[in-house]
Amino acid sequence: MNTEVMTQTQTETTIAQRNWIALRTIVRREVMRILRIWGQTLVPPAITMTLYFLIFGGLIGSRVGQMGGYTYMQFIVPGLVMMSVIQNSYGNISSSFFGAKFGRHIEEMLVSPMPNWVILGGYVAGAVLRGLMVGAIVLCISLFFTRLHVPHPLVTLTTVILGATIFSLAGFINAALAKKFDDIAIVPTFILTPLTYLGGVFYSVTLLPSWAKAITHANPIFYMVNAFRYGLLGTSDVPLWIAYALMLLFVVVMTWIALYLLKRGSGLRT
């Protein structure tokens, strides 16, 4: 009896070690890809956000004045950081996973003993890391234009991780369903970009008429931006618990959808 228990324990340990090695390998490959082409993955968002700081925060912000008790430059920093995290997390995993589909080497992972959650976790972790790297770069750039005190560092960190995770999962689902390269460009262009710009990045919802407030409150990015703004500045247009509840709900639902697509293999296997 003891021998059987020991054998089962050893088997479970071996499986856990194998899964950990597989997860670490996927994450390392994704990170190395990001760093290898850093001129395409890290530099462009830094340049773009610098222009946003110069034009919106510097030139236009000086005419806008204060918003929510802060200078306009301070007000837009959380939104621009979160916008860069969202866009890069989404873009990284959608292009990387669809590239694996296009190159047919995703099939090798699907037929291997590797569990689906390891495949999903590896790609999502790589995308989240890119989002965090870009977000850190943009946050450092913002310090050349304004001062930040970060009153709630834990809220800041958890919000940015949850936001990056949500849009990494969204990018994974998009890549899993896409049949051609054009399909992975439709969502960022026609859905992600409008939601980001209308998610309270450049303005406070208190300035909007009632009908526009109702539409804005239906935008999930609005809650992420405001939760992150609370972490950096200590102010938010929505209760923090609602933002966290919504983000956690999105993580659970989209994880289930992504794992279901992997299990079904539709569009992934020939």
Side-chain angles (χ1 to χ4, degrees):
M1 184 67 179
N2 291 334
T3 304
E4 293 179 357
V5 172
M6 290 179 61
T7 302
Q8 183 179 0
T9 303
Q10 291 174 350
T11 302
E12 292 176 352
T13 302
T14 302
I15 293 174
Q17 291 174 343
R18 184 182 63 196
N19 290 339
W20 168 246
I21 293 173
L23 178 65
R24 187 177 60 188
T25 301
I26 296 175
V27 174
R28 183 174 61 183
R29 186 190 64 192
E30 289 297 296
V31 172
M32 292 305 297
R33 185 183 74 88
I34 294 168
L35 297 178
R36 186 174 62 251
I37 54 174
W38 60 270
Q40 301 175 36
T41 56
L42 302 178
V43 175
I47 295 174
T48 301
M49 292 304 151
T50 300
L51 293 175
Y52 274 116
F53 287 130
L54 286 172
I55 296 172
F56 287 94
L59 300 178
I60 298 177
S62 60
R63 298 177 180 271
V64 173
Q66 288 196 341
M67 184 168 293
Y70 297 89
T71 65
Y72 190 66
M73 178 70 79
Q74 289 176 318
F75 183 84
I76 66 173
V77 166
L80 291 177
V81 173
M82 183 58 74
M83 183 168 71
S84 64
V85 170
I86 287 171
Q87 292 175 344
N88 285 274
S89 299
Y90 188 98
N92 186 85
I93 197 168
S94 60
S95 61
S96 178
F97 189 74
F98 185 79
K101 280 179 56 179
F102 187 78
R104 301 296 185 190
H105 59 266
I106 189 64
E107 298 171 4
E108 298 175 1
M109 288 191 285
L110 292 174
V111 299
S112 71
M114 192 187 313
N116 289 334
W117 67 264
V118 172
I119 299 174
L120 178 63
Y123 276 98
V124 168
V128 169
L129 286 173
R130 177 179 169 183
L132 294 179
M133 283 189 283
V134 172
I137 292 171
V138 174
L139 189 61
C140 290
I141 292 173
S142 71
L143 297 179
F144 288 98
F145 298 93
T146 187
R147 293 182 180 180
L148 298 172
H149 301 290
V150 192
H152 306 287
L154 182 60
V155 174
T156 301
L157 182 61
T158 54
T159 301
V160 76
I161 290 176
L162 284 172
T165 302
I166 290 169
F167 284 93
S168 297
L169 290 166
F172 186 92
I173 294 170
N174 184 193
L177 296 174
K179 296 182 179 179
K180 54 184 184 296
F181 280 102
D182 289 343
D183 293 340
I184 64 174
I186 292 175
V187 174
T189 302
F190 296 102
I191 299 177
L192 188 57
T193 299
L195 287 178
T196 303
Y197 280 95
L198 298 175
V201 173
F202 299 103
Y203 58 85
S204 173
V205 72
T206 57
L207 301 176
L208 301 177
S210 56
W211 63 269
K213 288 181 181 179
I215 295 175
T216 302
H217 278 85
N219 184 350
I221 295 180
F222 168 72
Y223 296 89
M224 301 175 197
V225 169
N226 273 275
F228 191 63
R229 183 171 285 133
Y230 179 83
L232 281 183
L233 301 180
T235 183
S236 174
D237 291 331
V238 295
L240 195 61
W241 71 269
I242 294 179
Y244 270 99
L246 190 65
M247 288 188 289
L248 290 172
L249 177 63
F250 268 98
V251 169
V252 172
V253 172
M254 298 181 81
T255 299
W256 182 86
I257 294 173
L259 289 174
Y260 173 77
L261 292 174
L262 278 174
K263 180 180 179 180
R264 191 178 66 175
S266 178
L268 302 178
R269 297 184 175 95
T270 55

